[in-house]
Amino acid sequence: MPINYLADVPSDILARAAAIRVAVFDVDGTLTDGRLWYGEDGRETKVFHVHDGLGLKRLKQNGVVVAIISARISHPVALRAEELGIEHIYQAQDDKAACLLELLDALHLTTEQAAFVGDDLPDLPPMKLAGLSVAVANAHPVVAEQAHWQTRKSGGLGAAREVCDLILHAQGKDAAAVPPQ
């Protein structure tokens, strides 16, 4: 039984999502709400949503590779990726499209088998390559306009989980099932 918010996903988006073997996420504005937090000591902190984390774990448990490509370097991102078991994490990537192509080459996958989720202009080049490009709800209007699909939730507030659920749903897996521990 489909999750209600996925019941009205167009068939062409479901077909794209069914082909996905690697889901790649931007960080700032996508896995986070986009705000940068600095403590008095200059250290950066980030806030991640637990629902997104479970969605990413579920993708991995169902054979979809999860990757992160970020233009910035952030220790909290490395910590979160380690906690979730994400092996493919690329930080300080000024050319996200080239990074995506290198990842696909290493995984022996095609662009049609990749999803890229982003929110702002630096995400457009890899989004244009991906078989499924997704903009979060609060994405820059140009990014939202050019994406194949847009989440209902904003970055850092469950948008990544929507993408994970979409992919699992399109691949005939119950996105709401409790994962094995």
Side-chain angles (χ1 to χ4, degrees):
M1 178 172 195
I3 296 174
N4 285 344
Y5 73 88
L6 297 175
D8 62 349
V9 175
S11 61
D12 64 314
I13 300 302
L14 289 173
R16 287 176 181 275
I20 299 307
R21 298 297 171 260
V22 60
V24 183
F25 295 83
D26 167 55
V27 176
D28 295 316
T30 302
L31 292 178
T32 74
D33 67 7
R35 295 183 292 171
L36 301 176
W37 295 69
Y38 295 97
E40 286 293 321
D41 60 2
R43 290 186 184 181
E44 178 184 39
T45 61
K46 291 192 181 293
V47 176
F48 298 96
H49 201 292
V50 70
H51 291 176
D52 291 342
L54 183 57
L56 298 172
K57 283 183 175 181
R58 295 268 301 128
L59 279 183
K60 288 181 48 169
Q61 290 167 343
N62 284 280
V64 177
V65 175
V66 175
I68 291 172
I69 299 178
S70 180
R72 299 183 68 246
I73 296 175
S74 171
H75 184 64
V77 171
L79 291 174
R80 184 63 172 153
E82 181 180 346
E83 179 181 54
L84 295 174
I86 298 171
E87 299 172 16
H88 303 281
I89 175 169
Y90 305 92
Q91 298 194 68
Q93 298 298 313
D94 292 328
D95 188 343
K96 292 182 180 185
C99 184
L100 175 60
L101 290 173
E102 288 176 22
L103 173 64
L104 292 175
D105 186 53
L107 296 173
H108 307 291
L109 296 174
T110 66
T111 54
E112 291 80 18
Q113 294 173 302
F116 194 94
V117 186
D119 71 305
D120 212 341
L121 301 177
D123 300 321
L124 279 177
M127 288 175 74
K128 288 180 180 181
L129 292 172
L132 175 63
S133 63
V134 179
V136 296
N138 59 325
H140 186 280
V142 171
V143 175
E145 178 181 285
Q146 294 189 38
H148 296 124
W149 191 65
Q150 188 169 18
T151 63
R152 294 180 184 184
K153 295 193 177 192
S154 295
L157 300 174
R161 178 60 173 271
E162 282 187 52
V163 176
C164 297
D165 287 352
L166 168 68
I167 293 168
L168 292 172
H169 171 67
Q171 294 181 0
K173 298 172 176 126
D174 183 359
V178 176
Q181 297 296 322

